[in-house]
Every structure is written in structure tokens, then in C-alpha cells.
Amino acid sequence: MQQTPMAERTALAIRDLAVQFESEQGVVRALDGVSFDLHAGRTLGIVGESGCGKSVTARSILRIVDRPGRITGGHMLLDPGTPQEVDLAALDPESKRMREVRGGRIGLIFQEPMTALSVHYTVGNQIIEAVRQHSDVSKEEARNRAIELLREVGIPRPETRISAYPFELSGGLRQRVGIAMALAGDPEIVIADEPTTALDVTTQAQILALLRRLQAEKNIALMLITHDMGVIAEMADEVAVMYLGRVVEFAPVQQVFAAPRHPYTRALLRAVPSILATPRQRLSTIGGAVPHPGSRPTGCAYHPRCSERIGAICMEQRPRPVPSGEAGASCFKDEAREQAA
Amino acid sequence: MNLLEVEDLKKHYPIRAGLLRREVGRVRAVDGVSFHIAKGETLALVGESGCGKTTVSRCILRALPVTSGAIRFATGDGEAAVDLATLPKRQIRPLRRHMQMIFQDPYASLNPRMMVGDIIAEPLKVNGVPAAERRDRVLELLELVQMPPGARTRFPHAFSGGQRQRVGIARALALNPKLVVADEPVSALDVSVQAQIINLLLDLQDRLGLSMLFVAHDLSVVRHVSDRVAVMYVGRIVEVAPTDALYRAPLHPYTEALLAAVPAPDPTRRSRRRVAQGEVADPANPPPGCAFHPRCPYAVERCRQERPELMPAGNGRAVSCHRAGELELAGVR
Amino acid sequence: MSVSTASDPPASDPRASDPKAAAAEARYAEATQLQLTWWRFRRHKLAVVSLFVIALFYGIAIFADFLAASDPHATDARRSFIPPQGIHLFDENGFNPHVYGLRGVRNPRTFQLSYSPDPARKLPVRLFTRGYTYNLLGLIETDIHLFGIEGGRPGEGIFLLGTDQLGRDLYSRMMVATRVSLSIGLAGVTLSLFLGVLLGGISGLYGGWVDLLIQRLIELLRSVPTIPLWMGLAAALPRTWSVIEVYFAITIIISLIGWTDLARVVRGRFLALREEDFVVAAELSGASQGRIIFRHMLPSFASHVIAATSLALPAMIISETSLSFLGLGLRPPAVSWGILLQDAQNIQVLAGAPWLLSAAVPVTLVILAFNFLGDGLRDAADPYG
């Protein structure tokens, strides 16, 4: 069994996280026992299709899950194994402690930066506000810090751009401001939720390069949520593949691409269009579509679409979850292969 | 024979200001675009947001009025090509059956109040196909896009995004169009579903000999489906080439930058690639000379002053770059 | 390459194993938008209750004369300001609903007549009794009423809500007033709807200077204070007009403002829908302008218009009530809620006969019910809401 490198300090440990949305139509288990670790200076890529729970995971960590949703189980340990260890799942979302964590310990980068920015205030106002929320500095100091942040995220002429309104900026610059906002509280963990999905390809490359540079400079534990296998290959150290609210495979990035262990990962990789394709090259597909999380198939949730089912067990029993911190797949076929080896 | 020939197509939007709404400037969304599509060929129009690719596609379908230029469309029914750009709207209507569109958002493109069967039958009905024939045709089309016949009596809300996109494709094919304009047909779909739709489009190309204008921003998808690629930047085509040639050896620095920016799904190729700096130029206020020069690592003085024209470069290629002959640009292999 | 081998067959439906879920799924899949809207509407309990309340009131409006116990126009000086009477269900012989006869006593100091029940005189209350003659649904001439007393002397009757100064039974008048007030609201809203859809549609479809003109007209109309405008217009109605003429004139006056809201809703929907992909798709398939409007656009916002209409109706009813209350709307002998409330204007009369205010109850009920219904409909109308 391959161990992921554990040299770096574990910043956040998620254990068996479960989130439910209750409505008149019934209970939707958006997350159903999710575990993974975030390490300082490393990037965990979380990949999956719509409805797999990747965004709910991010929102749960920050305790900003929308109303009918609530955390029904599991732990989210900040600074695990240290005297300062705190379980975010047990905190009151409105508490002072949680507000300090939000932005101060964990920063969030949105897919569409306009959701994080107000149209009524200048970029500078908003970053200064964020800086002052998490550190006790004067207005002047906060302003200098804001200009420095804008420079750090590669915004040209930050002294003048600080008084721009968000709508005056292009999509790429807005996302840079979004990143500056996320970094304003000097967090050691940053969650980026599809940070480049709304951007053009050349801008995406710039933003990814920026995230890499900032991570290296600040030793940030980065959790990168995306549906794009290319972005994962480009950015991640470890990868968690999610399907219908569960992590179905966890492994170092090379291993995921070279020797994926879960049939879903394999199918997903084969289904990705390639820039190296030959003309008119067909893709191998996964039959059907992702089911609604409210009607989760029995047994292994992937079994109705799986081309590598090994028998009735896949339909009847739930495969064991991926052990946290270890590479592995939540799959009966993989278990069988492991036992044979 | 060319099905479609677009020549010097322009679409400008006036910028008006003041009480009298005087024109103070123009957004040159499309500024002199020329290309052709041969029968049975798929041409991809690629570029980043604001490059004008969607505007071109809407102009060709005359969903938008054209500022100037010619759009010559040969229906091939032994009639001479007509210029869609100058034809009055009333005379466009009978031609619509020959050119259809596949939309990006499968949730917005189907009328939520009509059953799938009626949605597919609508173009047939509008064009006077009798009811009995319509029914058979709808079943045939559903089979073509691999949907069960029972889908006919259901409403769009019962289907997933991928299934809805199949319905949208069936509707576009209902009248056996000569040309299909597909505007980002897979970009709103999940990876696994996207692959299904790409395969479906490839099959339909083979089976029906479709001619297609494929508008997309995803260069990987484009490589799978298109025969030739036209790269647009700020309202103009900067390079046209057969797909493979373009990807292997681009001739325009912008094409090179685009290709380099695509993250390959392979961590061992994690590059120290050069990322194009700067932002896409504003079509309301494009830079003088070559619009790409502020971002181009190869720009020389001439690029800042003189606008390059799209010139043939052999082997069915054309490029709009002053230094096209001298640069050795990197493609992907 | 053939199509069938090109991609994997769609995998089995994961839900197929559960027959109940599958049935629900199929029901949902085959539901029309109308059904979906109804299912969503049903979730609004208050709106459903309101729907029943409104149905009840329109039932009253239709069968007003049948429900009335005595002629709402018949005056009788001997029975003015009779307080509400209670029905006694039992007497010494068991179940025998009856009201007491009334004994008028003149107050020796004020010389005012006041009534007190006379337990010695029992007037039996019966269903389907004969009374004044009317046309049921405007067709069948009959004199059957839902209830009344049997064998009373002239001037005697059942006065559930008391009588007014002229001795007219308030309950019966309220029944007839319901018909007038609700129908004038409906007529007003129909006219508004016609104007709103027409002008809003033209505005949204054609745009340009037509749109500009209509929008400015709407703004102009909305900037004029409503009550003075109505008062001016109503005051200009010739006194010689018949009840029917006044009725229609008032309808037109109250729709004058009402249509502007609907026109805005319609225009907004047209503008939004024109950009929708499915409308563009219809255009690209070669459909005519008329077909695009009637087949693709109108059904998509019919529900929005219905919701807006149900929110406009209470405003109409209130308008009529206010105008009539001020003496500028309908005029006696017409009976409407506003006219009934007009009687309650005099504070001295009100002190002696507070039951005259009871006409405010149906006004409030109907207005509230329409508002709740409108909210429920609006929420249910959005197919993606």
C-alpha cells in the first residue's frame, strides 16, 4: 500500500463528514462519509461531476451550507493532533470562533468572483475591510496591505486599481481580486471552488500559475475543486475523486493518471477529450448520467453505470470507504484485486 | 463545392451616448471575417470570450442583422447561391430549413411547455410536413439520437442535460439541413455526458454527411470533431488550417498561446510552459496594428503599426501575421 | 460506422428497482407544466385556503338572490335599525329552529324606537321558503330562497345582520353587494388584462419608438395620484345615467390604472422570452411571427399573467369600494360593499347601529384571499422556481 507523503503538517483533517438536505421530497444525502486531509504546502485536487458533492464539501468546511442542509455527522479537525485542535463540525456557524476561521484560517476563492465582491464598494474598500477583520491594524496599514495584496496577485498598477469598482475589471482581474480577498486574512488553508471554470483558457493558465506561485510562497494548504482533469493534472499533488457524495478514489496525482484504481476514475479519464486526439477520434463514454443524489442507487452508487461490475455484491453492499491518508479505491473489484495480490 | 462562403463579414454595434443618443464609437464585434465550409465538412470557430465567434454564427443564421459583407449559401438544389447577408427577412424564412442550430444550454433551448415529440416536430410542422409523416420522422430522429421512443410524450423537465441536448440535436436535424451551426454544444455538460454527445456528433457527421460550423472555446473538443479550425481574436480570423496541422504546427503566435494554455490531462507533462500575458483586447477599443501585439512575445515594430491581413500559407492554410514565415512556433503532439 | 455501436448503451436506470419511486418518476416525467404548477401551488397552504374562500365568495355572487332571505331593496320604516338576530335551534319540542318576533319600544326620552325580542312570538326558520321573485342565473324565474321564516306578518322577517335605516335586511343586501363588487372587479380586471396584454405585447415585441411611447404613457398615468383622478372622472359622470351605465363607466375608470401593471409584466416577459434559446430556435425553424408569439411565447408566461391578474383583482375591488364609499362610484339603488359602507359613514348612526360596519368583513376577507392566492400562483408559475 502506497503512503502519501506525510512530511508536511496536516492543516485540516476531514473525517466521515456527512451532510443532508431535508426537503418535502425527502432526505438528500449530499455528503455521505467523506474523509481526507489537507497538508501545508500541498494541493489536494477534488474532482467529480455535478452532484458529486465537491462544492458542498467546501461550503461545509466553512460552515456556510445553505438552509435545508446541515451537517449530520463526522468531524473537521483544524490543526489535528495539536493542543489547538478544534472541530469545525462542532462549532456554531455564527460563533466568533467560526468567523475567525472563515477568512482568517481558511480562505475561499469562488468560481465567479463577483459573488464574493459587492458591486457597491471599490475593490480597495473590500480588501481593506477583509484585512481589518482579521488583524488589528490601522486604516493606513490596511490600505498598504491591500495594495501589497493586489500586487502579489499580479494586478498591474495596484495603487490606482485599488479604487476601481469590480465591474470595471475584466474577468481575469476580478478573479485576481477574488484571490486577494481570500488571502486578506493570511489564511494557511485556501479552498478554491472551480476558480478557473468561468475564465478563458489563457486567463485560466495565468490564474493557475498564480495559485501555484502563491502556494509556494506562503506554504498554503490548497484544496482545489474542479471538474477538469486537465486542471487536476496541472495542479494537484493528491487527488480525491468524488461520486454522489463519497470519495471513491484517493491517490497521488501521478498514480491517478497512470494507474487509476476505481472504474469511475478510469472511465472519467477515458471520457476526457484530448488536445492530442487524432481527427474524428471517438471517446469512450460512461453510460447514463449522474443520478440525482436524492435517488442514490443501492450498494455501490456507481454500479448502474459501471462497466466493470463483478457481481451482485456491487448492487447490494456498500464498498468500504477509502482509508484516510492512504491511496485506495472504494470498490469491490479493487478489494478483490488487492486480496489476490 | 462550397456550401457556405463568408466574405468580409462585419458586425458592428454602435456605442451611443448623450441625450440625442449620438454614435460615439463602435464595437467591432466581427470585423472582416472570411471563410468557407465545404459540403460535408466541419469547420470549428475557436477563440476566447469576446472574440466574436458567437456573433459570426448568429449572423450566418441571420438571427442578427449584418453590418456588411457577404454570406453566400448554396442550397445545392440546382439553384444559384444566395447572399444571406442582403436578403430581406421574409425571403430568409423559406431558407431556414437548410440551416439549423444546436444550442449551448440544453435547459434553455427546449420549450418547457412542449412535449419532446412536439419540440422535434415543430420545424416539420412549420415547414408543412403532414401529420402522419411527422410522427414517423420524430420516431426516426429519436432513434438517430439514441433516445427511447417513449420520450415523445414527455416534457423536457424529465430529462438530464445530456438527454435534452440529444433532443436539441434531433430538432436541428429534423428538416435534413444542409448546414448545422453548433454553438458550444457540449460546454454545459458533465465530462461523461460530454463524451456521449461528442461521439453522437461524430456519428452524425459520418452518417448524414453533415456540414457543420462548430463554435467552441475548448480546443480539446475541437480536435475531436473538426476538419478545419479557424482561430478568432478580437473580431478577426488570425489563422485557418486543417485541424491536425494547426495543432501540430501553429503559424500564429496566438494559436500557439492558446494551445500552450490548455492543461493536458497528464501530470508528467506538467509544464514550465510560457503563459500568454495580459488580457484579451477590448473590441470597442482594439490596439492599433495587429490586435494581438501587446500580448505577443514575437511582436516587432511593424506589428504595432500595420494590421496584418489573412494570407494564404499553403496546404489549405492561411494566417494573419507579419512574421508568419520566420517564426518556429510550438504545437502540441 | 454505425450509430448503434458508437457509444455504450445507456446503463440501466438505477431507480427502476424501486417500483414506487419509478411510478412517481414516470408521473413527474409525463406531467404537463399545468400539472407541475398545480403541484407546486398545492404546497402553499394559505393560497389553497384562499382559493376556497374566493370560490365561496364567487358562489355567493352567482347565487346572491337565492341566498338572500328578504328583498334587499324593500324598505320598511317600521323596522329600521333592527339589531342582528340570533337563530334559536331548539325549543321545548326539540329541534325547531326559530327566531323571535320583535317588539318595538319607543324610548320615552329620545323617542327612538328600539327593538327587543319577544319570546312569546316564535317565527320558525325553514329551508327553501318562498320569498320575492328573481331570476336564478338570469334564466329561471323563481321565488325559492335558501332559507326564510314561515308564516310571518308583513314586515316580519329574519335579520341575521340586522337592518339599516330604511329597514332593509343587511344580510340580504350583503349577498347582492357581493355580486356587484366582485363582478365589477372581474370586469375591471378583464378590461385591464386586455389593455395590458395588448399594449404590453406591442411594447415588448416591437420595441423602438412604440415601446418608448407606451412606456411614457404608463409612467404618466402612474404619476397621477389615483384617488383625485378617479374622483374627477367619476364626478364627470352625468347624474342622469342609469345604474348599468354608471356600472360600466366605473369599470373603465378603475381599469385605467390597473392595466399599466399588467402591461409591464407582459412587456417584461416578452423582452425576456425574445432572448430565450427556445424562442430563437422556433424563429430559426422558420416559424412565423404569429406562431412564435402564440405557440411559444404566450404559453410561457400565461401563468405569470394569471398571477399578476389575481394580484390586480383586489386593487380593483378596493377601488370600487373606495369610490362608492366616497359617493362617487355606484349610486343607490345599486348595492355594493362600498355603498353598504357608505351607510356607516355617519358616526352617530354607527354608534347606534354598529352592525352596519359588517360589510367591511367580506372586503377584508376577499382582499386578503386574493393577495395570498396571487402570491401562491406567482411562486408556482415559475417552472424553474
Side-chain angles (χ1 to χ4, degrees):
Chain A
M1 171 128 294
Q2 187 172 350
Q3 294 283 319
T4 52
M6 293 289 283
E8 292 85 359
R9 187 175 63 83
T10 304
L12 182 70
I14 308 288
R15 291 290 172 271
D16 302 318
L17 184 64
V19 172
Q20 291 187 351
F21 284 79
E22 280 160 39
S23 69
E24 285 175 39
Q25 283 84 33
V27 175
V28 173
R29 277 181 291 171
L31 292 185
D32 195 19
V34 167
S35 304
F36 56 80
D37 295 332
L38 294 181
H39 303 289
R42 299 185 72 80
T43 300
L44 173 71
I46 298 202
V47 68
E49 296 182 276
S50 55
C52 75
K54 49 193 198 297
S55 286
V56 176
T57 308
R59 301 184 78 84
S60 305
I61 293 172
L62 290 161
R63 302 301 307 275
I64 50 171
V65 179
D66 291 329
R67 244 329 231 137
R70 61 192 183 89
I71 295 173
T72 52
H75 305 281
M76 300 187 285
L77 306 173
L78 195 60
D79 306 319
T82 68
Q84 297 90 45
E85 179 183 289
V86 55
D87 185 358
L88 300 181
L91 287 181
D92 175 0
E94 306 300 326
S95 66
K96 186 161 180 288
R97 192 70 210 276
M98 197 59 229
R99 285 208 308 272
E100 281 167 11
V101 170
R102 241 178 258 138
R105 303 292 309 277
I106 307 175
L108 178 62
I109 301 170
F110 294 86
Q111 173 176 343
E112 176 42 69
M114 283 307 277
T115 55
L117 296 170
S118 161
V119 291
H120 304 294
Y121 295 95
T122 63
V123 163
N125 274 338
Q126 300 183 58
I127 299 177
I128 291 169
E129 177 89 18
V131 167
R132 296 192 64 183
Q133 212 157 50
H134 297 287
S135 61
D136 192 18
V137 292
S138 73
K139 254 205 165 119
E140 191 53 39
E141 281 171 299
R143 189 186 154 81
N144 290 337
R145 174 94 185 94
I147 291 176
E148 191 191 320
L149 275 167
L150 290 176
R151 185 173 290 120
E152 265 178 17
V153 297
I155 290 185
R157 291 178 286 115
E159 299 83 0
T160 52
R161 288 291 166 82
I162 193 165
S163 45
Y165 286 89
F167 59 82
E168 297 174 304
L169 304 175
S170 68
L173 284 184
R174 277 206 291 259
Q175 191 54 292
R176 285 174 195 268
V177 172
I179 294 171
M181 284 282 284
L183 296 178
D186 209 9
E188 61 256 60
I189 300 169
V190 169
I191 300 174
D193 188 357
E194 304 267 9
T196 59
T197 304
L199 302 176
D200 278 319
V201 58
T202 55
T203 317
Q204 163 172 294
Q206 292 169 4
I207 296 292
L208 293 181
L210 171 67
L211 284 176
R212 255 201 313 267
R213 178 170 62 80
L214 290 170
Q215 176 184 41
E217 282 170 16
K218 296 168 185 282
N219 203 33
I220 286 169
L222 180 64
M223 175 172 149
L224 179 69
I225 295 171
T226 180
H227 68 281
D228 186 336
M229 279 295 187
V231 172
I232 290 286
E234 191 74 31
M235 298 288 290
D237 296 305
E238 285 92 32
V239 182
V241 182
M242 289 187 71
Y243 190 77
L244 279 187
R246 290 177 190 161
V247 174
V248 294
E249 177 160 3
F250 177 83
V253 66
Q254 274 88 2
Q255 193 181 321
V256 164
F257 283 86
R261 286 168 64 174
H262 197 284
Y264 177 61
T265 317
R266 280 195 281 274
L268 206 54
L269 284 168
R270 283 197 302 263
V272 177
S274 167
I275 195 156
L276 306 171
T278 57
R280 308 237 152 176
Q281 182 184 327
R282 274 151 179 83
L283 290 155
S284 70
T285 59
I286 308 177
V290 182
H292 186 265
S295 49
R296 175 196 302 277
T298 54
C300 167
Y302 181 61
H303 86 256
R305 306 177 72 191
C306 185
S307 57
E308 303 177 39
R309 275 187 301 231
I310 55 169
I313 188 170
C314 294
M315 291 160 223
E316 285 154 11
Q317 287 176 43
R318 180 182 165 178
R320 68 169 162 77
V322 183
S324 55
E326 288 175 33
S330 171
C331 171
F332 289 113
K333 191 184 178 195
D334 190 62
E335 280 177 40
R337 184 191 58 82
E338 214 167 72
Q339 274 158 15
Chain B
M1 186 187 118
N2 287 338
L3 180 73
L4 181 78
E5 281 175 6
V6 175
E7 201 180 307
D8 204 24
L9 178 68
K10 287 183 182 167
K11 174 67 187 172
H12 294 180
Y13 292 96
I15 307 171
R16 295 180 190 280
L19 202 61
L20 297 172
R21 320 279 305 139
R22 263 208 322 232
E23 188 176 321
V24 294
R26 285 181 152 208
V27 178
R28 295 163 190 274
V30 176
D31 199 24
V33 160
S34 306
F35 61 86
H36 68 270
I37 297 177
K39 235 177 152 182
E41 183 190 46
T42 296
L43 174 75
L45 212 50
V46 303
E48 297 180 281
S49 55
C51 73
K53 56 186 191 296
T54 296
T55 312
V56 168
S57 71
R58 301 269 164 153
C59 283
I60 286 168
L61 294 167
R62 275 297 296 275
L64 283 175
V66 170
T67 305
S68 71
I71 304 167
R72 279 186 291 276
F73 182 68
T75 55
D77 301 336
E79 284 169 44
V82 285
D83 184 1
L84 300 175
T86 52
L87 223 52
K89 261 215 144 158
R90 198 171 316 138
Q91 289 172 36
I92 298 271
R93 252 178 69 193
L95 293 169
R96 294 227 179 269
R97 58 178 305 146
H98 299 301
M99 35 185 198
Q100 287 292 303
M101 177 157 180
I102 301 171
F103 293 83
Q104 173 175 11
D105 181 355
Y107 290 86
S109 63
L110 306 183
N111 188 339
R113 281 169 176 75
M114 285 167 76
M115 283 193 280
V116 161
D118 294 335
I119 290 173
I120 299 174
E122 179 73 3
L124 300 166
K125 199 168 178 181
V126 164
N127 287 279
V129 177
E133 221 172 290
R134 281 206 301 266
R135 204 190 122 86
D136 293 345
R137 180 77 180 129
V138 167
L139 288 172
E140 195 181 307
L141 285 161
L142 282 172
E143 197 193 328
L144 190 68
V145 297
Q146 297 155 34
M147 291 279 285
R152 235 169 11 133
T153 54
R154 298 194 163 195
F155 287 87
H157 65 250
F159 297 101
S160 66
Q163 290 171 314
R164 288 184 202 213
Q165 198 58 301
R166 288 174 193 270
V167 174
I169 292 171
R171 171 179 60 192
L173 298 178
L175 293 163
N176 282 320
K178 303 277 188 309
L179 175 71
V180 171
V181 173
D183 185 6
E184 303 268 11
V186 297
S187 65
L189 305 173
D190 267 328
V191 177
S192 63
V193 177
Q194 178 178 306
Q196 296 167 4
I197 300 295
I198 290 173
N199 284 353
L200 176 65
L201 288 173
L202 288 168
D203 291 334
L204 295 173
Q205 285 172 351
D206 288 349
R207 205 164 130 160
L208 309 174
L210 278 186
S211 310
M212 197 156 29
L213 180 67
F214 192 90
V215 179
H217 72 278
D218 186 327
L219 289 153
S220 305
V221 171
V222 164
R223 187 149 198 188
H224 281 268
V225 298
S226 64
D227 301 309
R228 287 190 306 132
V229 181
V231 182
M232 284 189 75
Y233 189 74
V234 198
R236 315 187 110 230
I237 290 178
V238 296
E239 181 171 2
V240 193
T243 306
D244 231 29
L246 184 108
Y247 281 73
R248 285 171 185 276
L251 294 179
H252 196 285
Y254 178 61
T255 314
E256 183 192 42
L258 270 184
L259 291 172
V262 178
D266 180 355
T268 60
R269 296 169 67 103
R270 196 175 283 190
S271 47
R272 308 213 182 286
R273 60 190 184 186
R274 189 168 38 203
V275 174
Q277 295 304 310
E279 303 255 339
V280 177
D282 178 4
N285 186 20
C290 171
F292 188 59
H293 86 253
R295 307 176 69 191
C296 182
Y298 313 106
V300 293
E301 196 48 39
R302 189 180 172 202
C303 304
R304 290 180 193 99
Q305 284 156 7
E306 192 184 325
R307 192 162 76 177
E309 293 300 321
L310 190 67
M311 302 298 276
N315 299 324
R317 308 186 66 161
V319 63
S320 150
C321 175
H322 292 308
R323 303 191 62 195
E326 41 184 305
L327 294 176
E328 281 285 332
L329 301 178
V332 289
R333 277 164 208 281
Chain C
M1 177 173 290
S2 86
V3 169
S4 52
T5 59
S7 55
D8 304 344
S12 66
D13 187 340
R15 281 162 282 196
S17 49
D18 180 354
K20 211 175 113 195
E25 173 85 7
R27 203 169 75 102
Y28 175 75
E30 278 163 17
T32 62
Q33 281 300 314
L34 198 66
Q35 277 170 309
L36 287 182
T37 306
W38 171 240
W39 291 343
R40 270 194 302 269
F41 177 76
R42 270 193 326 205
R43 292 211 295 260
H44 287 261
K45 297 285 181 295
L46 209 51
V48 176
V49 171
S50 299
L51 185 65
F52 280 109
V53 170
I54 288 164
L56 186 79
F57 269 97
Y58 275 97
I60 291 175
I62 292 169
F63 298 104
D65 281 314
F66 173 67
L67 293 168
S70 52
D71 188 342
H73 301 293
T75 59
D76 188 342
R78 286 169 303 169
R79 57 179 203 201
S80 66
F81 294 131
I82 295 174
Q85 281 178 309
I87 297 181
H88 302 264
L89 290 180
F90 296 94
D91 62 6
E92 57 275 17
N93 304 325
F95 183 70
N96 177 28
H98 61 275
V99 291
Y100 293 134
L102 293 167
R103 204 167 38 198
V105 182
R106 202 168 284 279
N107 186 314
R109 285 235 303 271
T110 62
F111 296 108
Q112 272 198 336
L113 203 56
S114 64
Y115 298 89
S116 57
D118 175 9
R121 182 167 169 74
K122 275 187 276 188
L123 298 167
V125 178
R126 294 290 177 263
L127 288 175
F128 305 115
T129 52
R130 293 187 177 275
Y132 69 96
T133 313
Y134 64 96
N135 283 327
L136 185 65
L137 302 175
L139 298 170
I140 311 150
E141 196 177 285
T142 176
D143 58 355
I144 306 280
H145 295 265
L146 180 64
F147 64 94
I149 54 163
E150 234 165 40
R153 290 190 293 251
E156 278 185 331
I158 173 168
F159 308 112
L160 288 180
L161 295 174
T163 61
D164 63 6
Q165 191 169 14
L166 299 178
R168 293 173 295 199
D169 175 31
L170 198 56
Y171 162 78
S172 302
R173 283 173 73 74
M174 205 123 95
M175 293 297 116
V176 178
T178 301
R179 179 165 64 198
V180 174
S181 286
L182 288 185
S183 69
I184 209 168
L186 216 52
V189 111
T190 309
L191 192 63
S192 296
L193 196 62
F194 175 75
L195 284 173
V197 170
L198 187 75
L199 292 173
I202 290 172
S203 199
L205 268 177
Y206 291 99
W209 66 269
V210 184
D211 180 35
L212 210 70
L213 198 75
I214 293 173
Q215 289 313 304
R216 293 301 90 79
L217 177 67
I218 290 177
E219 278 158 25
L220 186 76
L221 275 175
R222 296 177 68 97
S223 65
V224 179
T226 327
I227 294 281
L229 175 70
W230 281 337
M231 284 174 74
L233 287 171
L237 296 183
R239 287 268 143 190
T240 52
W241 279 14
S242 71
V243 171
I244 296 289
E245 281 169 333
V246 172
Y247 178 93
F248 281 112
I250 295 296
T251 309
I252 291 169
I253 289 172
I254 60 177
S255 343
L256 205 62
I257 305 293
W259 71 270
T260 58
D261 270 329
L262 284 161
R264 288 200 159 170
V265 170
V266 171
R267 172 177 179 266
R269 293 308 302 167
F270 264 120
L271 286 181
L273 279 170
R274 213 164 47 169
E275 304 294 318
E276 285 280 340
D277 280 352
F278 73 82
V279 174
V280 176
E283 195 188 332
L284 292 183
S285 73
S288 64
Q289 187 79 356
R291 187 168 176 81
I292 291 170
I293 294 170
F294 290 103
R295 177 90 172 112
H296 297 274
M297 293 170 92
L298 270 182
S300 296
F301 69 86
S303 46
H304 290 267
V305 170
I306 292 168
T309 306
S310 72
L311 287 173
L313 251 165
M316 299 280 166
I317 294 170
I318 278 280
S319 307
E320 183 279 324
T321 308
S322 330
L323 277 179
S324 301
F325 176 77
L326 292 171
L328 295 164
L330 300 175
R331 291 193 286 266
V335 193
S336 78
W337 288 340
I339 286 173
L340 292 184
L341 283 170
Q342 205 183 348
D343 290 343
Q345 269 182 358
N346 188 331
I347 196 80
Q348 271 183 323
V349 171
L350 205 56
W355 54 87
L356 288 180
L357 260 184
S358 53
V361 173
V363 179
T364 315
L365 265 179
V366 165
I367 302 302
L368 280 177
F370 266 119
N371 278 315
F372 291 138
L373 177 73
D375 282 345
L377 281 175
R378 193 178 45 199
D379 291 350
D382 192 351
Y384 305 113

